[in-house]
Amino acid sequence: MSFQKNVKKYQKIVLGSIVAVMAVSLVIWGNPVSDAGDGGRTVAMYFDAIPVTERDWIETTAKARPFYRWKFLQEFFQSREPWALYQRHRLFEGILSNLSPREEDLKIAAQELIVLTFDARTKSLHVSDAEVTQEIQGLFQAARQTQRDPESQALFTRRHFGCDPATFKAMIHDALLIRKTLEADTAGANVRYADLYESLLQQSQSARVGVAAIDPERLSADPPPIGHEEVNARFERDREQYKVPERAQFEYLMVDLEECKKRAPEPAADEIKKYYEEHKREFPKTGAAPEGGTTEEFKTLDEARAEIVDKIKAQHAGKEAYDLFRKINSEDIATMLYEMREEERRKIGETLKDASAPEKEKAVNERMLQRSAEIFESIKKKYEAQNAPLAHNVTVSFDRSGTDTLEKEIGKAQVGSQWSPMDWAFQNPVGSLAERLWRTDKGYVLFRIARKVEGYLPDLTEPIREKILRELRVEKKRQWAERIAQEVIDRLQNGGDSALARILDDERLEVQRSVYFTEDAAGDLGLKPSALATHVKQIVFPPNLPAAKRHAATLLHGERVAADRNLWAYVVFLEDLVAAPPQSNPETFLHRRDEQEAQARAERMRARRDELLALADWRDVGETKGK
């Protein structure tokens, strides 16, 4: 009891000393509140006596976002987790710039900057410009970027830290100051020798396991039968996934590029020669370049003549197709739509005299959709008479995943196209005309939505019934294998050595035994397939199968081992676990000590940071007045 009283008395003395130091600091630095203007207005208090002015808060919140991202980087760099090592190269390729902290996170980061830099200054800690420069250079190197000019620095800080270079540099100064004060508070040894020895002892343990595999396809008996009630219940549960999707159909006009190319005139000799001289590098000699390299040997004009003629004709065809469709779209269709709309407005005006203007316009739009087919038919007749290379047709019906269906008929979309005609089809009513051309490798296409059929939920048809039966059979087999596996686990845990002997003779099981292996062992451990070894090590180290109980077992699902064994079930059981003293290897010992020391110090630094923030008792002005 007296010990607890002494501890509380000591805590009061320490806290009183801290406040005394802060008061002296205030006298030395002056009172920030005395600054003139709105920037000197106090907005918060910490340690019950230290004010935060509006100017301080604005300057600090500007550094909060880059500080939050810098801390994320440090945790990433210090992590020894495999996922962190794997993702490290992607930090500056989007992970960092897409990191979006919440407002509450930014407020805590700003408080941390204010409180912990204050703590550092009370200890008379400093950060030099050289230290700041070194830290920034390290970040540039990690991002594989240079910082030779101010423009590249500004781009780097904006892209990855969301601030300008001056704010970034100020943040790095404060971050290093915080690191120093936390390191000062956590100096000394953080790892006990006994804990280190225990860790090395665990790593030096050797285990031997048995693995019993159950393949339901090899079982002599049949799995439980599937009844009609089970099929019907599954259908009702998953009925939505059998829904027949909504479908649509396009009417389209297409200027055929291949037809335009056939009609293109033969290029003159001068045109062929000019194209060759300007595009000579398009015609390398076959086999002239080494693998992965370039060549300076090219075909002669005569050797490349046929290719050149084809390319020139393709250029002419593209220009003719574009010009023709631009004329159709901007002249013919625009004129027809205008005349049709004016005509419908006159008719609607006569039939709906008492309707409001929006109601009349809605009726006009509905009539325009109904008559849009007339526009395509009129254009088709006009250009058929002119023998133009214009195709008019209707696509097969398609659903939202019907890209391949459309591509077979009208060609593949031009690379880089952002507009999707299929998305447009399911977002607009029947009769709508596309407002843009669709460029494919076959030509220029203009769409009209000709027909749409709503999706619907079907009844339990025979094909659906067969599909459900196949799925249920697979599930039954997997559950059957897992049930047998659980039976084996129960027998092992309750029967010991006698149960193991019976299991080894069980014809339903394929039993294999591993070699003795340690936590850092490589290879397949004598198990097949080799992927099984990875999961076995994860199960045994750290020991999920208790060493104190031989034959402790666990279930391993087949899909984790191999894709073709998704129906299998595995029982992994511990046969033996031998604890050997750690090898006397100074390098191994020092390496493990450094690892654990770094981890322990990081944890203590986080705890000290949280402790300082809690002691600071941050309060906004409104809360302070209320207190």
Side-chain angles (χ1 to χ4, degrees):
M1 189 70 180
S2 60
F3 175 75
Q4 292 294 336
K5 288 182 178 179
N6 288 333
V7 169
K8 291 182 179 179
K9 181 179 179 182
Y10 176 74
Q11 287 177 337
K12 290 179 180 178
I13 293 171
V14 171
L15 183 57
S17 302
I18 291 173
V19 173
V21 170
M22 295 171 182
V24 172
S25 303
L26 278 176
V27 173
I28 294 172
W29 296 343
N31 188 351
V33 184
S34 63
D35 290 351
D38 291 339
R41 182 170 60 87
T42 299
V43 296
M45 300 282 286
Y46 61 102
F47 289 122
D48 284 335
I50 314 301
V52 179
T53 66
E54 188 172 29
R55 183 182 298 109
D56 293 336
W57 184 247
I58 291 172
E59 290 176 356
T60 307
T61 51
K63 294 183 283 188
R65 185 180 299 276
F67 179 59
Y68 182 90
R69 291 183 177 180
W70 179 83
K71 288 201 303 177
F72 176 82
L73 270 183
Q74 303 314 301
E75 291 182 7
F76 225 111
F77 289 153
Q78 292 166 11
S79 175
R80 299 178 184 275
E81 294 292 331
W83 66 268
L85 297 174
Y86 175 73
Q87 295 284 356
R88 189 168 291 178
H89 72 286
R90 296 187 58 236
L91 277 172
F92 292 95
E93 295 177 5
I95 291 180
L96 196 60
S97 57
N98 290 327
L99 192 65
S100 299
R102 300 170 302 168
E103 287 300 321
E104 183 63 23
D105 295 328
L106 293 178
K107 183 178 180 181
I108 293 172
Q111 293 172 359
E112 186 176 340
L113 283 166
I114 291 174
V115 173
L116 271 63
T117 53
F118 176 82
D119 180 71
R121 285 192 286 268
T122 62
K123 296 180 179 131
S124 300
L125 297 174
H126 301 281
V127 171
S128 66
D129 289 342
E131 290 174 293
V132 172
T133 301
Q134 184 179 2
E135 177 70 16
I136 293 174
Q137 286 176 345
L139 292 174
F140 270 88
Q141 289 172 3
R144 300 179 183 177
Q145 296 187 26
T146 60
Q147 54 166 342
R148 295 178 182 174
D149 57 89
E151 186 178 346
S152 65
Q153 291 185 38
L155 180 63
F156 176 82
T157 57
R158 281 198 303 270
R159 176 182 298 168
H160 300 301
F161 292 91
C163 66
D164 59 81
T167 303
F168 180 66
K169 187 174 181 180
M171 179 278 295
I172 292 294
H173 176 277
D174 289 354
L176 296 181
L177 197 60
I178 290 171
R179 181 192 286 172
K180 281 191 175 185
T181 189
L182 293 177
E183 286 177 347
D185 289 342
T186 58
N190 294 282
V191 177
R192 296 189 313 139
Y193 177 82
D195 295 335
L196 179 60
Y197 186 86
E198 183 65 27
S199 171
L200 290 171
L201 180 63
Q202 181 173 316
Q203 188 178 27
S204 65
Q205 288 177 323
S206 292
R208 181 182 179 184
V209 301
V211 179
I214 302 102
D215 177 6
E217 299 289 359
R218 294 185 56 191
L219 297 175
S220 56
D222 293 326
I226 301 167
H228 296 297
E229 298 80 5
E230 206 170 350
V231 174
N232 292 337
R234 177 59 59 90
F235 173 71
E236 291 301 328
R237 190 195 78 178
D238 299 337
R239 191 169 188 175
E240 193 66 30
Q241 79 177 47
Y242 300 110
K243 182 178 180 179
V244 177
E246 182 182 13
R247 301 188 71 81
Q249 203 168 9
F250 281 138
E251 179 184 10
Y252 67 90
L253 296 170
M254 182 170 74
V255 178
D256 191 330
L257 283 174
E258 193 59 37
E259 187 62 32
C260 291
K261 189 175 174 181
K262 291 177 183 177
R263 301 183 183 195
E266 291 294 325
D270 291 345
E271 189 178 3
I272 295 173
K273 182 179 179 182
K274 181 182 178 184
Y275 188 95
Y276 176 76
E277 291 172 350
E278 292 176 353
H279 304 87
K280 186 176 181 179
R281 291 188 172 275
E282 295 179 11
F283 309 102
K285 281 194 172 181
T286 305
E291 187 174 350
T294 57
T295 181
E296 293 299 324
E297 295 185 38
F298 305 98
K299 295 178 182 179
T300 63
L301 176 59
D302 288 338
E303 290 172 335
R305 186 178 298 277
E307 293 177 65
I308 295 171
V309 169
D310 188 71
K311 287 176 179 288
I312 292 174
K313 284 188 172 185
Q315 286 183 348
H316 284 303
K319 186 176 183 305
E320 181 188 353
Y322 178 76
D323 289 344
L324 176 58
F325 228 126
R326 186 175 61 177
K327 180 177 183 298
I328 292 171
N329 202 31
S330 61
E331 295 181 17
D332 298 320
I333 293 179
T335 302
M336 291 180 194
L337 284 173
Y338 175 79
E339 292 175 350
M340 187 180 290
R341 183 171 291 277
E342 290 301 308
E343 180 184 343
E344 290 301 327
R345 279 175 176 163
R346 286 194 299 272
K347 291 180 179 178
I348 295 297
E350 294 172 0
T351 55
L352 300 177
K353 293 180 180 180
D354 298 330
S356 64
E359 289 174 339
K360 290 179 180 179
E361 195 61 27
K362 180 182 178 182
V364 169
N365 290 334
E366 290 174 353
R367 284 290 300 151
M368 293 286 289
L369 291 173
Q370 295 168 11
R371 295 185 59 188
S372 60
E374 299 175 17
I375 295 175
F376 270 37
E377 186 63 29
S378 177
I379 290 173
K380 172 193 170 186
K381 291 179 179 178
K382 175 181 177 179
Y383 286 94
E384 272 183 352
Q386 299 177 13
N387 195 29
L390 183 68
H392 174 247
N393 214 331
V394 177
T395 67
V396 296
S397 66
F398 55 86
D399 57 29
R400 292 176 186 271
S401 61
T403 303
D404 293 341
T405 304
L406 279 182
E407 285 182 349
K408 289 177 183 176
E409 191 164 351
I410 60 175
K412 292 186 177 182
Q414 194 174 29
V415 176
S417 178
Q418 300 296 317
W419 182 69
S420 168
M422 285 193 301
D423 290 344
W424 171 79
F426 291 105
Q427 294 168 0
N428 290 277
V430 173
S432 298
L433 294 177
E435 295 179 356
R436 62 179 72 189
L437 298 178
W438 183 242
R439 175 73 162 87
T440 74
D441 55 1
K442 289 187 177 182
Y444 289 92
V445 188
L446 181 66
F447 293 110
R448 173 184 170 271
I449 303 174
R451 183 169 171 266
K452 287 171 75 172
V453 178
E454 293 293 327
Y456 61 93
L457 292 172
D459 295 326
L460 181 55
T461 60
E462 195 57 34
I464 294 177
R465 180 182 294 278
E466 286 299 320
K467 184 175 184 295
I468 292 174
L469 278 170
R470 287 194 298 271
E471 292 173 354
L472 287 173
R473 287 188 191 110
V474 168
E475 286 184 19
K476 291 283 186 182
K477 288 179 180 179
R478 185 185 294 112
Q479 292 167 1
W480 194 24
E482 290 175 1
R483 190 158 49 248
I484 294 173
Q486 191 59 52
E487 175 192 325
V488 171
I489 291 172
D490 294 340
R491 285 161 57 188
L492 275 169
Q493 292 178 343
N494 298 324
D497 290 335
S498 60
L500 177 60
R502 289 195 301 274
I503 286 169
L504 294 176
D505 294 333
D506 193 329
E507 294 182 354
R508 299 175 301 171
L509 310 177
E510 295 179 20
V511 181
Q512 49 182 327
R513 285 164 157 160
S514 74
V515 298
Y516 278 93
F517 61 93
T518 59
E519 183 178 0
D520 56 354
D524 60 14
L525 311 182
L527 301 172
K528 302 295 180 184
S530 58
L532 188 59
T534 303
H535 299 288
V536 165
K537 283 190 290 184
Q538 290 173 352
I539 291 172
V540 178
F541 297 109
N544 294 323
L545 303 177
K549 187 176 181 182
R550 293 184 68 233
H551 309 136
T554 190
L555 171 65
L556 178 63
H557 297 286
E559 64 265 18
R560 296 181 58 193
V561 177
D564 60 347
R565 300 198 174 191
N566 64 322
L567 300 182
W568 290 43
Y570 292 88
V571 177
V572 180
F573 56 92
L574 185 64
E575 286 202 87
D576 197 11
L577 188 65
V578 180
Q583 295 181 355
S584 179
N585 186 335
E587 290 185 5
T588 301
F589 186 87
L590 289 173
H591 176 70
R592 178 56 65 92
R593 182 184 181 281
D594 289 344
E595 276 188 350
Q596 293 198 4
E597 178 67 34
Q599 183 178 354
R601 171 168 283 195
E603 290 175 359
R604 281 194 63 197
M605 287 172 70
R606 283 193 289 269
R608 178 58 180 160
R609 177 199 64 198
D610 295 342
E611 180 185 357
L612 280 170
L613 290 173
L615 278 172
D617 192 24
W618 183 283
R619 291 179 181 274
D620 294 335
V621 166
E623 295 178 12
T624 306
K625 287 179 179 177
K627 182 183 176 185

